[in-house]
Amino acid sequence: MYSLLVQMHSYLRYFLLFLLLFLIIRSFYYWQKRLPYNTQTNIIGLYLLICTHLQLVLGLILYFISPYVSLTNFSSAMKDKVQRFFTVEHASIMLLAIILITVARIGARRLQTDEAKHKRLFFLNTLALILILGGIPWPFREAIGQGRHLLFHFF
Ligand code: HEM
């Protein structure tokens, strides 16, 4: 069960990153070309929101069952790079990114002009992308990424 959840959490990052990048490029293009905010943009944003919140649910479950998170012995966990990363850094960076993606969507829909909508989507989602890329325990990251794979079990 635990390993299945880690796998799902690991794979879902690629759907999330793909949708996020797609929405960023699209909103930038539509903003620059002054094109209307349309149903497709809205649907991509909705899929991204679903994906992001699913990742949040998986992350929250993992937070309470993962051996890499230590809540009972918090002070000694802070001295260990890997435990500190998953207990504090990864969770808080990703929560912030999820808040940005959520605010980008809700905020954009409330704005009056299409230009303002695309601009908001572009800036907040770009910030979220930077945070996510920095907060992922990539296999090439020293200590944190040790034993992790780009594609679970493959490479
Ligand atoms: C945008 C959202 C997120 C992304 C893209 C993301 C991505 C990842 C990735 C790629 C891993 C490594 C999986 C592997 O070994 O292949 C991971 C691990 C983990 N994530 Fe997240 N995460 C996100 C949000 C969260 C949140 C919000 C939490 C908790 C509140 C969380 C908790 C964890 C934990 C505890 C692990 C370690 C699992 C283990 O190996 O035991 N994640 N995350």
Side-chain angles (χ1 to χ4, degrees):
M1 177 66 179
Y2 161 68
S3 126
L4 181 72
L5 288 173
V6 180
Q7 268 187 63
M8 286 166 70
H9 195 63
S10 185
Y11 280 134
L12 197 59
R13 102 183 88 163
Y14 294 112
F15 287 104
L16 199 158
L17 284 173
F18 173 76
L19 288 171
L20 187 55
L21 197 63
F22 190 58
L23 191 60
I24 289 170
I25 295 167
R26 190 183 166 97
S27 54
F28 182 74
Y29 182 80
Y30 274 59
W31 166 33
Q32 293 302 311
K33 296 272 171 195
R34 296 176 194 275
L35 295 169
Y37 179 89
N38 57 24
T39 322
Q40 284 101 311
T41 311
N42 193 32
I43 288 174
I44 298 162
L46 179 66
Y47 286 151
L48 173 66
L49 195 75
I50 293 169
C51 220
T52 308
H53 285 244
L54 197 59
Q55 191 70 326
L56 171 65
V57 173
L58 292 170
L60 281 173
I61 300 171
L62 282 172
Y63 196 75
F64 293 101
I65 60 171
S66 171
Y68 296 97
V69 176
S70 178
L71 293 169
T72 45
N73 207 343
F74 195 75
S75 56
S76 79
M78 290 308 98
K79 291 180 192 125
D80 182 281
K81 204 176 173 187
V82 179
Q83 296 250 323
R84 191 181 60 231
F85 176 79
F86 286 105
T87 310
V88 180
E89 294 160 17
H90 178 75
S92 44
I93 290 171
M94 295 313 195
L95 275 175
L96 188 58
I98 292 168
I99 291 171
L100 285 174
I101 291 171
T102 311
V103 169
R105 179 173 165 79
I106 295 169
R109 292 186 71 190
R110 285 192 187 144
L111 288 170
Q112 296 296 317
T113 68
D114 290 346
E115 193 186 342
K117 286 178 195 209
H118 290 129
K119 200 171 161 182
R120 158 101 45 138
L121 283 177
F122 173 72
F123 280 113
L124 295 185
N125 285 328
T126 303
L127 209 58
L129 177 68
I130 295 167
L131 287 173
I132 293 173
L133 289 175
I136 286 178
W138 298 105
F140 46 81
R141 288 186 67 171
E142 197 201 326
I144 294 155
Q146 221 169 36
R148 302 205 177 259
H149 306 264
L150 274 181
L151 275 178
F152 211 83
H153 288 186
F154 295 119
F155 59 93

